Amino acid sequence: MTALQAPPRLGITAGEIAQGRRRRTARRRLVVGVLAALIVAAFIVSLCVGQTTYSPREVLGVILGQDIDGASFTVGRLRLPRATLAVIAGLCFGIGGVTFQTMLRNPLASPDIIGISAGASAAAAFAIITLGLGATQVSIFAIIAGLGIALLVYGLSFKGGVVGTRLILIGIGIAAMLDSLTAYVLSKAAQWDLQEASRWLTGSLNGARWSEVVPVAIALAVLAPVLLTQSRNLSTSQLGDDAAAALGVRVERTRIIVIIAAVGLIAFATAAAGPIAFVAFLSGPIAARIVGPGASLLIPSALVGSLLVVTADFLGQYAFNVRYPVGVITGVLGAPYLVYLIVRTNRSGGSL
Amino acid sequence: MTTAHTLNALDLTVGYGDRTVVEGLDLQVPMGGISVIVGANACGKSTLLRAMSRLLAPRGGQVVLDGRAVHQTPAKELARTLGLLPQSPTAPEGITVADLVGRGRHPHQGLFSRWTPADDQAVADALTATETAALADRPVDELSGGQRQRVWIAMALAQQTDILLLDEPTTFLDVSHQLEVLDLLTDLNRSRGTTIVIVLHDLNLAARYADHLIALTDGRVHALGTPAEVLTEDTIRAVFGLDSRVVVDPTSNKPLMLPLGRHHTTTER
Ligand SMILES: Nc1ncnc2c1ncn2[C@@H]1O[C@H](COP(=O)(O)OP(=O)(O)OP(=O)(O)O)[C@@H](O)[C@H]1O
Ligand SMILES: [Mg+2]
């Protein structure tokens, strides 16, 4: 009998609905606040601590433009652009990654798994190493390649509708080809530079300069708000194309805006820092765990991405007796999760 | 809540790729009652609902709501008058019932506008009407098929449209849950005056619950009328290619269809 399972014939009031909603919003606000505070803390630590440690007062002095012996160079020219790029690139990867994962309803569908980061990276490596272009042109190269790869993967997996698994497998294949393309470009470089190589293969913040930071910062300032305006459409699209359209979402338009903005963010960040391994892939699922289901993940995931990059870069520089590029550290974190997801998908055929 | 609406398909042609599914269809959806669309698999029932709710652009003809072509109506504006519950919507992983039902408020919300008391009231009313209030904080993934179907209907109710189209809302449900869903939709129609259009496969349930029965074949309206007018042995043969007997259901006085297969038949045809 199903009678036992039938819910009691009770109503619910608008007050109770509002209460439940406020509880969830409060949790999301708390998470966002704590993450932002942690990023600020990690940012300050990575400015102060290093081979030589400076006090927060000295660091603040440098930021305000005072000339402080030693600190002006180390903090002002080395650590500040590097930490700023870490924060900004992390935000880009975090928000771009979760956008794809939400849109395609699959955590494996993040831009660093399906080849978009690899495409942007190969293009950037080619533009810098082979063509010797400057930061802005490199970014343009990267974004065109990123969009091209996104289109290619989408086109190749389109067969009367896009099926998630097919898209992911094709994306993984294309990513592998692009990685070998990057390796080829690197091998043809006049002088083989390990630093450069690790930057384009796993992502690195070594030698970050303001000229590289500025384009990413502008991209973030322009494209992140675009994504945020689509946040509600994106959540509603998770119900499936028909249900979303019936609720007044213009599904195709949303998809195009969101793809361009997310690919743009990923490409600009990649042109500056390389495809920092797995940050786009990890941020969304981590944010989902801490925020709980139902809420929009764009901002929490951006913050998680940022915190991941700042922390991993700091650890990579000082936690071991060898200096590792940031992508090696995030790679070590991300790889097991990737294996776990593939095993789980294999077992259940499940999605998000 | 019922303002008088009109929803008509005029010489409507729709299809996918190079395949035309609905061709030259004319239909005046009867307002204020429950209409049930029946027809064989792949005859274009879902396609018709999708075209009527602006999801598919017509190749020819148009769908007109209150004198205005739906394809010229902004999506959100249309979604405040006309709702559609598609055949297979998907629930995001882990989402709670209250959250999912809240998604039904999408057409009433702006880009950044805050959640209003009216939104909360609509969600509360929808949960209460579908008797899913006790499930409000449960994840949708963990519900039974019948509970889940009621939650989807609650989401469509939260949209608060005067016209609601539902594509096979009773699939995967056992007999008693099928009746429960149809009773719920009838209550909604009788209490709020919502015009309801349902695609159903069970002809006897269709005959029992429909004020108007619409039989489709090959993307055309074959017959439209009261169940007694439409559910005849001739129509069933024409629409489903099936021989049958139609008798009067003693419990509802509606027609009741008894299919005749090639075996197990004792009466003469
Ligand atoms: N997205 C699509 N792309 C291409 N063809 C489609 C698509 N959706 C449906 N069709 C085709 O259109 C025809 C009508 O499909 P439709 O879904 O409208 O049938 P239906 O009457 O709802 O059937 P059912 O009772 O099985 O739900 C079918 O031949 C189907 O294969
Ligand atoms: Mg159908």
Side-chain angles (χ1 to χ4, degrees):
Chain A
M1 292 292 283
T2 52
L4 283 176
Q5 283 191 343
R9 293 177 169 252
L10 284 175
I12 193 166
T13 63
E16 289 168 284
I17 295 291
Q19 214 176 0
R21 192 169 42 70
R22 265 184 234 115
R23 215 179 324 119
R24 289 186 294 271
T25 329
R27 176 166 168 189
R28 185 165 168 279
R29 288 226 181 94
L30 180 71
V31 167
V32 166
V34 169
L35 284 172
L38 287 174
I39 292 171
V40 171
F43 182 74
I44 292 173
V45 168
S46 64
L47 290 181
C48 296
V49 180
Q51 306 298 38
T52 335
T53 298
Y54 299 99
S55 70
R57 182 186 300 271
E58 287 169 300
V59 167
L60 190 66
V62 172
I63 294 175
L64 294 178
Q66 294 167 20
D67 213 345
I68 300 174
D69 218 22
S72 280
F73 180 75
T74 315
V75 175
R77 299 285 290 283
L78 299 180
R79 289 185 197 166
L80 194 55
R82 180 177 190 135
T84 310
L85 183 57
V87 169
I88 294 177
L91 291 170
C92 292
F93 284 124
I95 199 170
V98 80
T99 300
F100 268 83
Q101 290 167 325
T102 310
M103 184 178 65
L104 295 168
R105 291 183 213 111
N106 193 322
L108 283 169
S110 93
D112 43 358
I113 307 284
I114 61 174
I116 292 165
S117 308
S121 178
F126 179 72
I128 289 185
I129 295 170
T130 314
L131 305 179
L133 300 178
T136 312
Q137 289 133 307
V138 171
S139 303
I140 293 170
F141 249 78
I143 189 169
I144 291 173
L147 281 173
I149 297 299
L151 267 178
L152 181 71
V153 172
Y154 197 82
L156 284 178
S157 48
F158 197 91
K159 203 167 119 194
V162 166
V163 176
T165 341
R166 188 160 57 214
L167 183 137
I168 289 157
L169 290 176
I170 289 173
I172 290 175
I174 290 195
M177 294 194 310
L178 290 164
D179 280 345
S180 53
L181 191 68
T182 307
Y184 174 78
V185 167
L186 290 166
S187 73
K188 289 285 171 191
Q191 77 263 51
W192 173 265
D193 180 347
L194 195 62
Q195 292 290 352
E196 276 296 284
S198 67
R199 177 161 166 213
W200 300 119
L201 288 171
T202 69
S204 162
L205 296 163
N206 271 330
R209 277 161 305 180
W210 286 117
S211 63
E212 292 162 343
V213 178
V214 172
V216 199
I218 294 172
L220 184 69
V222 173
L223 296 176
V226 172
L227 276 184
L228 292 178
T229 61
Q230 297 302 310
S231 159
R232 200 171 263 163
N233 285 338
L234 199 58
S235 331
T236 307
S237 298
Q238 286 183 299
L239 306 177
D241 286 1
D242 278 7
L247 287 169
V249 177
R250 294 167 68 182
V251 177
E252 285 306 322
R253 184 166 160 272
T254 303
R255 198 172 279 151
I256 290 170
I257 295 178
V258 151
I259 288 180
I260 291 178
V263 170
L265 287 170
I266 296 284
F268 272 96
T270 305
I276 304 180
F278 294 137
V279 173
F281 168 63
L282 284 173
S283 305
I286 294 177
R289 281 282 147 76
I290 35 189
V291 176
S296 166
L297 292 176
L298 295 183
I299 293 176
S301 173
L303 296 174
V304 168
S306 188
L307 187 60
L308 270 177
V309 175
V310 179
T311 318
D313 188 46
F314 186 73
L315 291 179
Q317 287 186 81
Y318 306 115
F320 313 95
N321 41 20
V322 187
R323 289 186 167 220
Y324 292 109
V326 57
V328 170
I329 309 292
T330 55
V332 167
L333 290 175
Y337 180 62
L338 177 62
V339 172
Y340 161 78
L341 269 187
I342 291 176
V343 169
R344 196 188 73 164
T345 310
N346 207 16
R347 268 203 207 118
S348 63
S351 65
L352 205 114
Chain B
M1 217 175 117
T2 345
T3 44
H5 290 287
T6 57
L7 178 61
N8 302 325
L10 306 171
D11 194 21
L12 180 71
T13 302
V14 222
Y16 307 90
D18 47 14
R19 155 113 114 307
T20 300
V21 175
V22 169
E23 196 163 10
L25 177 141
D26 285 297
L27 173 66
Q28 247 187 317
V29 177
M31 285 294 128
I34 297 182
S35 305
V36 177
I37 300 179
V38 296
N41 284 131
C43 73
K45 303 179 295 293
S46 302
T47 305
L48 175 61
L49 291 199
R50 299 179 78 220
M52 288 206 291
S53 42
R54 194 187 185 281
L55 271 55
L56 271 181
R59 299 250 171 92
Q62 52 186 345
V63 177
V64 180
L65 173 67
D66 299 335
R68 187 171 176 196
V70 295
H71 286 85
Q72 258 102 66
T73 311
K76 270 194 175 175
E77 190 185 323
L78 182 69
R80 289 193 287 266
T81 305
L82 179 74
L84 165 73
L85 185 59
Q87 209 166 346
S88 43
T90 48
E93 189 172 285
I95 194 171
T96 61
V97 168
D99 258 340
L100 182 68
V101 174
R103 299 279 167 98
R105 298 301 295 164
H106 185 89
H108 300 274
Q109 297 168 330
L111 214 53
F112 293 111
S113 65
R114 303 204 136 240
W115 202 267
T116 63
D119 293 327
D120 287 324
Q121 190 63 52
V123 172
D125 289 349
L127 290 172
T128 305
T130 52
E131 292 175 12
T132 48
L135 307 174
D137 291 321
R138 296 261 303 270
V140 176
D141 314 334
E142 293 175 8
L143 303 182
S144 77
Q147 293 172 325
R148 201 172 302 165
Q149 197 59 42
R150 284 212 302 264
V151 169
W152 281 112
I153 292 173
M155 189 201 77
L157 295 193
Q159 198 175 338
Q160 291 186 324
T161 55
D162 289 344
I163 306 172
L164 180 55
L165 317 178
L166 302 104
D167 200 349
E168 299 190 28
T170 57
T171 20
F172 307 123
L173 302 186
D174 66 33
V175 180
S176 81
H177 284 105
Q178 289 183 26
L179 287 171
E180 224 170 79
V181 163
L182 293 171
D183 281 335
L184 162 67
L185 293 173
T186 308
D187 289 341
L188 181 72
N189 169 256
R190 305 291 187 251
S191 64
R192 296 196 199 175
T194 309
T195 297
I196 293 182
V197 179
I198 321 173
V199 171
L200 278 187
H201 276 298
D202 187 315
L203 292 182
N204 292 328
L205 287 182
R208 179 163 323 171
Y209 281 89
D211 298 318
H212 313 274
L213 201 55
I214 301 169
L216 285 194
T217 30
D218 294 329
R220 282 214 183 75
V221 177
H222 180 87
L224 189 163
T226 62
E229 290 162 356
V230 174
L231 200 69
T232 62
E233 291 169 11
D234 288 340
T235 310
I236 292 166
R237 193 173 303 112
V239 173
F240 293 95
L242 176 76
D243 286 327
S244 63
R245 291 284 301 276
V246 174
V247 297
V248 173
D249 172 0
T251 59
S252 64
N253 279 330
K254 305 271 185 176
L256 182 70
M257 191 273 295
L258 306 168
L260 303 177
R262 286 187 295 109
H263 299 288
H264 309 292
T265 307
T266 54
T267 49
E268 292 283 317
R269 297 242 176 130

